[in-house]
Amino acid sequence: MSAYLLILLAVLSRIAVLPHLPWLNFTAVGGSLIFFGARRPLRQAILPVALLAATDYYLTVYAYNYPFHISAYLITWAWYAAVIVLGRMLLARQVSVGRVGAAVLIAPTSFFLITNFAAWVGSPMYPQTFAG
């Protein structure tokens, strides 16, 4: 039950129903997904991914007034599922400081690397060179 509650709190913090630090653009999505993966079976992973996907749609269309293109979110949604699997792999059987630390570092770092690489590859805004 607490895993579902944490997912709900992450969703509510994203849509600004719950207070968060907007100047840091921080919500606890990664942490809630790691916890969900550690506590719930993988067959139940569709619910948090679907809730966060619905939140992405809401934010894009209603909060930011942009057109919604599903192709722009597929990598993000795959990342949501991957972090649940990460929580399952690292923390379902044994919890230790090292495993928690690894999960906490891997989740946001992977999101940054994956989504920024996808934006670099998929957007004409950025030149496809390795020169900085």
Side-chain angles (χ1 to χ4, degrees):
M1 184 63 164
S2 59
Y4 289 105
L5 181 60
L6 207 55
I7 293 291
L8 181 61
L9 291 174
V11 167
L12 293 175
S13 73
R14 287 188 72 205
I15 57 176
V17 171
L18 294 176
H20 64 285
L21 306 172
W23 61 89
L24 294 177
N25 197 18
F26 172 81
T27 62
V29 171
S32 65
L33 292 171
I34 290 170
F35 186 78
F36 192 92
R39 297 291 182 227
R40 306 302 308 165
L42 287 180
R43 67 179 182 277
Q44 295 178 8
I46 190 68
L47 181 63
V49 173
L51 282 172
L52 290 167
T55 306
D56 290 334
Y57 177 81
Y58 169 80
L59 289 171
T60 302
V61 174
Y62 298 107
Y64 307 133
N65 295 314
Y66 289 128
F68 185 81
H69 303 287
I70 196 166
S71 61
Y73 289 94
L74 292 177
I75 290 176
T76 303
W77 298 342
W79 180 82
Y80 294 157
V83 172
I84 292 172
V85 172
L86 174 74
R88 189 86 186 141
M89 289 173 34
L90 286 179
L91 302 173
R93 292 196 174 112
Q94 180 184 4
V95 178
S96 69
V97 172
R99 288 174 176 260
V100 171
V104 166
L105 290 174
I106 291 169
T109 304
S110 65
F111 181 78
F112 174 81
L113 293 173
I114 291 167
T115 57
N116 281 289
F117 180 74
W120 175 72
V121 167
S123 173
M125 183 184 331
Y126 305 105
Q128 270 67 43
T129 65
F130 289 105

